[in-house]
Amino acid sequence: SRPILDMSYSRHFLDFQGSSIPSSMKKLVVTKLSQNFREAVTLQQDSPVPLPGDGDLLVRNRFVGINASDINYSAGRYDASVKPPFDIGFEGVGDVVALGLSASADYTVGQAVAYVKAGSFAEYTVVPARQAVPLPSVKPEFLTLMVSGATAYLSLKELGDLSEGKKVLVTAAAGGTGQFAVQLAKKAKCHVIGTCSSDEKGGFLKSIGCDRTINYKTENVESVLRKDYPEGVDVVYESVGGNMFDLALNALAIKGRLIVIGFIAGYQNPTGLQPIKAELLPAKLLKKSASVRGFFLNHYLSDYKMALQHLLKMYERGDLVCEVDFGDMSPEGKFTGLESVFRAVDYMYMGKNIGKIVVELPHSVNSKL
């Protein structure tokens, strides 16, 4: 162990209880591009703990979030110019254990923060202070809002045109981001329909206000939509792709909007995409004056802090359920430690989770934080 930085000009640079930060740590690194997460990613046992620069925080991660797009990142689909090895993981919540002098103007050691930045699948991550979000405490529920909640909030706000009485269809509604789309659409006094894969998920969806759940394992989604919503649905929050995209497109009402926030059905395929009947798309959209819009959170970062503050206030007031799934019901139990990230990704792609999948990182370091 070693103190993290020279302390000659600030006491901020050491864990405030006086315990030192280890010199090495575990982290996950993409060592080969592949849509198979287990093939792409390696757990490194003794990577050096990074040093924060003048405007940075060193965050000891306590909880990290699993996203469907982790597989896209490890497959190299977001930026073809990035070559392995590179760090992975998009979001974390933890304690500030060291920081640079400029960063100490706004942050202190021991403070709870959340962040969205590549490299969270590690015991320690350097985060620019301007990208961090101060939190009242280290709770996994806050992590659900960072990517999943913000995606639902901003996409529906910017593209959904929600208003009272509108019919909103949410696919994969019991998932990490679907849970927020359901609740936010209900707050806008919409009628919400949610697709899911089990009766247990249907029960969860009803508990957060979903008006109609469709278990696609036991019900025919197309038939239900045609029978119960003959006029169509006004907004679709779509994250599945493939056949579900086609069903959702066909179910749109006049002037309906389909918001694409993902296509998880295609992420693990070597080709990346399941085919959709896109050659009919122009005719279908024209016939209904309908629209299909894509939403990628990175393109809305100017509104991100506003969205997050709004969601944090809703959660603190008790107006938002932030369901966390630690994998307690998975065959090998709770997702604990970086080595369990692999299981957590598998669990998500098996469609088992209710809410946001979160991995806890316990720390055995001698610290009172």
Side-chain angles (χ1 to χ4, degrees), residues 165-169 191-194 210-214 221-234 250-253 288:
K166 290 243 175 115
K167 293 185 274 298
V168 178
L169 170 65
H191 176 94
V192 183
I193 309 128
C210 200
D211 297 288
R212 173 67 160 99
T213 61
I214 307 173
V221 177
E222 190 173 18
S223 303
V224 170
L225 292 172
R226 197 181 297 128
K227 175 173 165 290
D228 292 1
Y229 304 96
E231 299 292 307
V233 296
D234 302 295
N250 291 339
L252 283 177
K288 295 177 175 177

Side-chain angles (χ1 to χ4, degrees), residues 13 26 34 39 60 69 73 75 77 88 97 118 125 146 154 157 184 188 193 210 243 248 251 301 326 334 350 353:
F13 295 130
K26 293 181 187 174
S34 170
E39 281 182 14
R60 191 179 75 202
S69 45
Y73 198 59
R77 287 186 185 134
I88 190 167
V97 291
T125 303
M146 298 301 293
L154 285 169
K157 179 174 179 288
L184 294 167
I193 309 128
C210 200
N243 187 46
L301 293 181
F326 277 118
K334 186 176 175 179
M350 288 188 288
N353 58 299

Side-chain angles (χ1 to χ4, degrees), residues 33-307:
L33 296 183
S34 170
Q35 78 283 345
N36 180 326
F37 191 82
R38 286 179 181 272
E39 281 182 14
V41 179
T42 303
L43 174 62
Q44 295 190 347
Q45 298 282 352
D46 53 0
S47 295
V49 172
L51 292 172
D54 182 58
D56 297 332
L57 312 174
L58 181 65
V59 178
R60 191 179 75 202
N61 294 313
R62 298 266 296 279
F63 300 102
V64 294
I66 304 296
N67 291 285
S69 45
D70 289 327
I71 278 191
N72 285 343
Y73 198 59
S74 64
R77 287 186 185 134
Y78 286 150
D79 186 349
S81 68
V82 178
K83 301 292 181 241
F86 55 86
D87 296 348
I88 190 167
F90 290 128
E91 54 185 343
V93 166
D95 311 288
V96 175
V97 291
L99 69 173
L101 192 60
S102 297
S104 69
D106 298 305
Y107 289 91
T108 59
V109 164
Q111 190 162 357
V113 294
Y115 64 89
V116 175
K117 176 184 178 285
S120 70
F121 291 164
E123 291 179 314
Y124 296 86
T125 303
V126 167
V127 179
R130 67 180 186 280
Q131 289 180 22
V133 178
L135 297 175
S137 60
V138 174
K139 286 173 72 172
E141 285 78 9
F142 293 126
L143 196 54
T144 67
L145 302 174
M146 298 301 293
V147 171
S148 301
T151 294
Y153 178 83
L154 285 169
S155 62
L156 290 173
K157 179 174 179 288
E158 298 293 326
L159 309 178
D161 193 25
L162 300 185
S163 58
E164 187 170 355
K166 290 243 175 115
K167 293 185 274 298
V168 178
L169 170 65
V170 180
T171 63
T177 187
Q179 64 171 327
F180 295 111
V182 168
Q183 293 179 79
L184 294 167
K186 282 307 295 177
K187 296 263 181 271
K189 300 184 175 170
C190 297
H191 176 94
V192 183
I193 309 128
T195 70
C196 61
S197 61
S198 71
D199 291 340
E200 187 190 1
K201 291 184 179 188
F204 166 68
L205 289 173
K206 289 195 174 98
S207 77
I208 58 171
C210 200
D211 297 288
R212 173 67 160 99
T213 61
I214 307 173
N215 178 348
Y216 62 80
K217 295 280 178 75
T218 58
E219 296 179 272
N220 183 300
V221 177
E222 190 173 18
S223 303
V224 170
L225 292 172
R226 197 181 297 128
K227 175 173 165 290
D228 292 1
Y229 304 96
E231 299 292 307
V233 296
D234 302 295
V235 179
V236 181
Y237 183 86
E238 216 296 278
S239 62
V240 177
N243 187 46
M244 188 63 82
F245 176 91
D246 287 325
L247 294 179
L249 181 67
N250 291 339
L252 283 177
I254 302 295
K255 297 184 183 174
R257 300 155 176 263
L258 193 157
I259 304 168
V260 176
I261 63 116
F263 43 95
I264 191 170
Y267 291 177
Q268 282 188 309
N269 294 354
T271 53
L273 276 170
Q274 284 197 342
I276 57 168
K277 300 186 177 85
E279 66 276 6
L280 303 174
L281 191 62
K284 287 181 177 178
L285 295 178
L286 182 66
K287 191 169 127 189
K288 295 177 175 177
S289 293
S291 65
V292 175
R293 296 283 299 271
F295 178 89
F296 188 44
L297 185 60
N298 289 17
H299 299 148
Y300 290 83
L301 293 181
S302 58
D303 299 316
Y304 178 76
K305 282 242 164 138
M306 170 277 297

